[in-house]
Amino acid sequence: MRRNRQQLSREECEGILGRCTSGVLALTGDSGYPYAVPLSYVYAGGAIVFHSAVQGHKVDAIKRDSRCSFCVIEQDEIKPAEFTTYFRSVIVFGRIQIVEDAVEKVRLLRLLGRRYSPNDEQGLQHEIDKSLDHVMLLRLDVEHMSGKEAIELARARK
C-alpha cells in the first residue's frame, strides 16, 4: 500500500468485516471481463460465507476460476468543503469453495440466518428445511486482506 499511514491492521479489517453486512464480490466473468455482484455475507472463522442459487452467472464464474476479491465499505462520508471523502474499507482476496457437505451447509446457513434474523430459531429452521435442496453455500477462504481509511480518520485516531 502506497500510503502506509492509512493502512488498517488485520484486527481492524476483521472488525469491519464482522460489523458490515454487504459487500461486492468480484470474479472473472464471461470472456475474461470482470464480474462484480453485491452480496450479503457473514464473516466467521477467517472465511466469508455467502449463499447462492445453484445455477447462474456467479456460479459459472466460480466454477471456471475460484479466485476472487471481495470489498466492503464501512464508511463513505462526503466532505464537500474539503473536496474529499472520509472512507474506511476492506478488500479481501482468496478463493471460493462450493460447500458440498450437507452438515457444513446447514451450519453455514445457521450462521447466515442468525446474522440477519437473530432470535428466530424456529423461523430459521423452517427456512433451512424449505431451501436446503436448492441453495448453494459458498465459502471464501481469505488468503490476503487489506484495509484503508481516509488520512483524516487515521489522524483522528492517533
Side-chain angles (χ1 to χ4, degrees):
M1 183 177 298
R2 190 170 55 88
R3 295 185 175 179
N4 290 338
R5 293 183 311 173
Q6 293 174 259
Q7 185 171 352
L8 299 174
S9 69
R10 177 151 184 122
E11 293 77 26
E12 291 167 317
C13 291
E14 288 181 338
I16 290 169
L17 291 172
R19 287 187 297 275
C20 291
T21 57
S22 65
V24 178
L25 177 66
L27 303 163
T28 304
D30 292 344
S31 301
Y33 282 95
Y35 174 64
V37 59
L39 296 171
S40 299
Y41 74 97
V42 65
Y43 179 70
I48 297 172
V49 178
F50 316 97
H51 74 288
S52 172
V54 296
Q55 294 179 331
H57 188 66
K58 175 177 61 212
V59 173
D60 292 344
I62 291 167
K63 287 179 177 179
R64 262 194 318 272
D65 187 347
S66 66
R67 295 173 299 169
C68 66
S69 66
F70 184 70
C71 178
V72 174
I73 300 170
E74 181 183 48
Q75 182 175 341
D76 182 28
E77 182 181 349
I78 297 170
K79 296 291 188 173
E82 299 175 43
F83 293 92
T84 194
T85 302
Y86 287 13
F87 68 90
R88 184 174 293 118
S89 61
V90 174
I91 301 175
V92 171
F93 300 89
R95 293 180 182 269
I96 293 184
Q97 305 298 319
I98 297 171
V99 177
E100 303 287 350
D101 181 75
V103 173
E104 182 67 357
K105 278 179 71 173
V106 170
R107 185 184 78 79
L108 296 177
L109 280 171
R110 287 192 186 289
L111 281 176
L112 281 163
R114 288 177 180 146
R115 174 75 167 130
Y116 294 94
S117 298
N119 306 316
D120 186 5
E121 289 297 318
Q122 185 176 1
L124 176 55
Q125 187 60 53
H126 174 74
E127 194 64 28
I128 289 171
D129 292 342
K130 182 175 77 172
S131 64
L132 189 59
D133 291 336
H134 58 271
V135 69
M136 180 179 284
L137 272 291
L138 305 168
R139 186 187 69 238
L140 191 172
D141 295 319
V142 177
E143 295 175 4
H144 172 72
M145 72 172 70
S146 67
K148 186 175 176 182
E149 66 183 352
I151 191 67
E152 295 83 359
L153 295 175
R155 286 183 188 138
R157 291 189 312 126
K158 304 238 185 246

